[in-house]
Amino acid sequence: MAANTCCRSILIPSVISLVLLLLLAATAPAISSSEGRTLLERLNKRSMKTIRSPDGDLIDCVPSHLQPAFDHPMLKGSKPLDPPARPRCHTDDGMADDVVQLWTTSGETCPEGTVPIRRTKEEDILRIERFGRKPFAGASQRTNLSDHEHSYGSVKGEQYYGAQALFNVWAPRVANRGEFSLSQLWIISGNFGTDLNTVEAGWQVYPELYGDILPRFFVYWTNDSYQNTGCYNLYCSGFVQTSSSVAVGAVITTTSTYNDTNLQHAIRITVWKDQKTGNWWLQQGSTVVGYWPRFLFSNLAISATIVEFGGEIINTRPSGFHTTTQMGSGHFAEEGFGRAAYISSIRVADRYNTLIPARNLRYNAEAPNCYDIKGGVDNSGEGYFYFGGPGRNARCP
Ligand SMILES: *[C@@H]1O[C@H](CO)[C@@H](O)[C@H](O)[C@H]1NC(C)=O
Ligand SMILES: *[C@@H]1O[C@H](CO)[C@@H](O)[C@H](O)[C@H]1NC(C)=O
Ligand SMILES: *[C@@H]1O[C@H](CO)[C@@H](O)[C@H](O)[C@H]1NC(C)=O
């Protein structure tokens, strides 16, 4: 009896661990394409320090001149630029940005001369390969763009040199790995379908890209209407990060709570063009994050002709119905403050590098029974709107 127990107590764990080992071996990550392996090598630079974020991310502190952007032939051997003059603001509404990146909550920081970069893990590449997609290729190769639905406000008809807005942050439900939900701004010049140039920034929930359902700060750019270029964060050599405290692709901890009409958490994003160099710069709250170099662009090398603000989701019609992926808070615009997602203090930068209220915003909801939009003007004369919805419902089958 005793011998038996003893025997069993050794045998069972070893059988379990053997099975576990076999399972692990069977599921051990193996990136199949040489493209994937090269990408992983290219993205993960020599790190001076690694910070472990509670969400599972590893944040590598990489010497700023060795970050992925500096693999670009136009940047090789150079150093990141210092930020230019920030745009002037005609009013200061005092509405602060209060988002916090989760990895910074431990109090650990990146050393001087380095920038924090979210490490790309093998599983990140594998997830995307499993979808049969080229890792981080142009958006049109990754997804069917006609599956995308937007609710947005836009201005056009003038020359724009930047934009700014406050986006409240939510953690919308995303129904499956191939879908996303986001809130962002788009700075646009050129023709849709051919030579469209965009720089984009906001927050998004995108399981396929990050492997989780947490809202993250992101940047994006394309110079050919999402055909062969078009990349999030640092996946293509392009966006140059200069901040040592804000990482693109990092998790935002502060999300809004439904029906909390006292406190909503919002991220303020500013993009502006340094007209001396032609580079487009990005600021989050009061922190300059980095820039998109001028040489990435054709049309945007001059100015933007359209600026858009809004929400976007992918609807893959799982099981033949409209997706239940939420946009914004998952509630319609009519529910208003504390319940619906908003974008407020909407401004554009003029040729004098001054932020002015975006006048005559036009609103469009592409699937209004699923996700709608409702705009207005606040006391200080600045535009805002509520947007979003639950996706599939009785009116959105
Ligand atoms: C893209 O989606 C549209 C509408 O859902 C569909 O008609 C079209 O066949 C799809 N195209 C591809 C290449 O999957
Ligand atoms: C929202 O909060 C108010 C006050 O706390 C409460 O009376 C109301 O029932 C809540 N509404 C919803 C939809 O939860
Ligand atoms: C777009 O970007 C790619 C990658 O940097 C570059 O090779 C290409 O020349 C750019 N195209 C235009 C039209 O600027």
Side-chain angles (χ1 to χ4, degrees):
M1 192 65 183
N4 236 339
T5 313
C6 176
C7 181
R8 202 176 289 144
S9 68
I10 293 163
L11 188 66
I12 291 173
S14 63
V15 165
I16 290 172
S17 47
L18 185 66
V19 168
L20 271 177
L21 267 177
L22 286 173
L23 274 174
L24 276 176
T27 58
I31 297 175
S32 58
S33 72
S34 62
E35 195 187 4
R37 279 193 302 273
T38 311
L39 183 71
L40 194 68
E41 248 167 59
R42 191 177 72 65
L43 289 173
N44 294 325
K45 303 297 189 189
R46 190 165 51 88
S47 170
M48 308 297 284
K49 175 180 176 183
T50 297
I51 299 169
R52 193 173 288 275
S53 179
D55 53 77
D57 279 1
L58 297 175
I59 302 292
D60 288 324
C61 303
V62 173
S64 60
H65 65 290
L66 296 179
Q67 64 181 295
F70 287 85
D71 290 335
H72 196 291
M74 297 287 287
L75 285 174
K76 257 206 160 81
S78 64
K79 288 221 155 51
L81 300 172
D82 289 328
R86 303 184 193 198
R88 285 175 298 272
C89 191
H90 83 297
T91 57
D92 186 4
D93 55 21
M95 285 180 71
D97 165 304
D98 70 346
V99 301
V100 171
Q101 294 202 332
L102 188 55
W103 69 272
T104 64
T105 55
S106 70
E108 294 236 51
T109 55
C110 274
E112 185 87 17
T114 68
V115 291
I117 294 184
R118 175 185 181 267
R119 185 178 307 172
T120 303
K121 298 178 181 160
E122 282 193 33
E123 63 233 43
D124 292 324
I125 308 259
L126 283 166
R127 237 183 359 263
I128 290 160
E129 283 189 339
R130 232 177 274 131
F131 269 70
R133 292 171 186 161
K134 292 177 81 176
F136 316 112
S140 60
Q141 293 177 27
R142 287 188 291 106
T143 59
N144 181 345
L145 286 178
S146 59
D147 292 343
H148 292 226
E149 293 171 358
H150 304 81
S151 293
Y152 63 100
S154 67
V155 289
K156 58 170 92 174
E158 284 169 53
Q159 290 190 308
Y160 307 102
Y161 296 85
Q164 181 184 69
L166 202 52
F167 305 75
N168 77 338
V169 182
W170 296 88
R173 181 178 64 237
V174 172
N176 64 62
R177 232 161 33 179
E179 299 188 350
F180 67 56
S181 181
L182 61 73
S183 176
Q184 67 162 100
L185 59 76
W186 289 260
I187 309 251
I188 302 173
S189 187
N191 302 293
F192 285 86
T194 56
D195 65 351
L196 197 76
N197 289 189
T198 73
V199 299
E200 310 178 19
W203 63 259
Q204 66 181 173
V205 174
Y206 195 174
E208 184 190 330
L209 194 58
Y210 305 105
D212 60 29
I213 52 167
L214 302 168
R216 291 166 179 272
F217 177 57
F218 78 93
V219 300
Y220 190 91
W221 66 275
T222 179
N223 68 12
D224 62 357
S225 203
Y226 307 103
Q227 293 172 78
N228 295 309
T229 62
C231 264
Y232 285 107
N233 304 333
L234 308 180
Y235 288 126
C236 310
S237 300
F239 185 79
V240 180
Q241 198 171 301
T242 59
S243 170
S244 59
S245 61
V246 172
V248 298
V251 172
I252 301 171
T253 48
T254 35
T255 55
S256 301
T257 305
Y258 179 72
N259 203 27
D260 184 344
T261 50
N262 294 316
L263 183 62
Q264 291 285 301
H265 294 289
I267 184 169
R268 189 193 292 278
I269 293 172
T270 311
V271 174
W272 78 102
K273 188 183 174 194
D274 171 28
Q275 293 186 52
K276 278 203 200 93
T277 59
N279 302 322
W280 288 85
W281 283 81
L282 172 71
Q283 182 171 308
Q284 186 244 291
S286 54
T287 306
V288 175
V289 180
Y291 61 97
W292 293 269
R294 177 192 194 278
F295 65 75
L296 295 174
F297 304 109
S298 50
N299 306 302
L300 270 183
I302 306 158
S303 70
T305 53
I306 304 175
V307 181
E308 295 180 353
F309 308 83
E312 176 180 355
I313 60 97
I314 298 182
N315 168 27
T316 59
R317 294 191 66 79
S319 359
F321 300 107
H322 191 285
T323 182
T324 53
T325 287
Q326 300 173 329
M327 185 190 285
S329 67
H331 294 260
F332 286 113
E334 289 67 27
E335 293 199 31
F337 188 80
R339 301 185 186 97
Y342 66 77
I343 299 178
S344 67
S345 300
I346 300 176
R347 301 164 182 169
V348 291
D350 66 12
R351 67 175 69 245
Y352 308 108
N353 202 24
T354 301
L355 290 163
I356 54 173
R359 304 224 177 269
N360 304 319
L361 275 162
R362 285 160 189 261
Y363 301 110
N364 183 26
E366 292 171 348
N369 292 329
C370 315
Y371 315 102
D372 65 358
I373 188 163
K374 191 172 172 220
V377 175
D378 67 19
N379 295 338
S380 58
E382 297 191 302
Y384 70 87
F385 59 83
Y386 294 105
F387 70 97
R392 186 173 182 216
N393 67 75
R395 291 184 302 126
C396 169

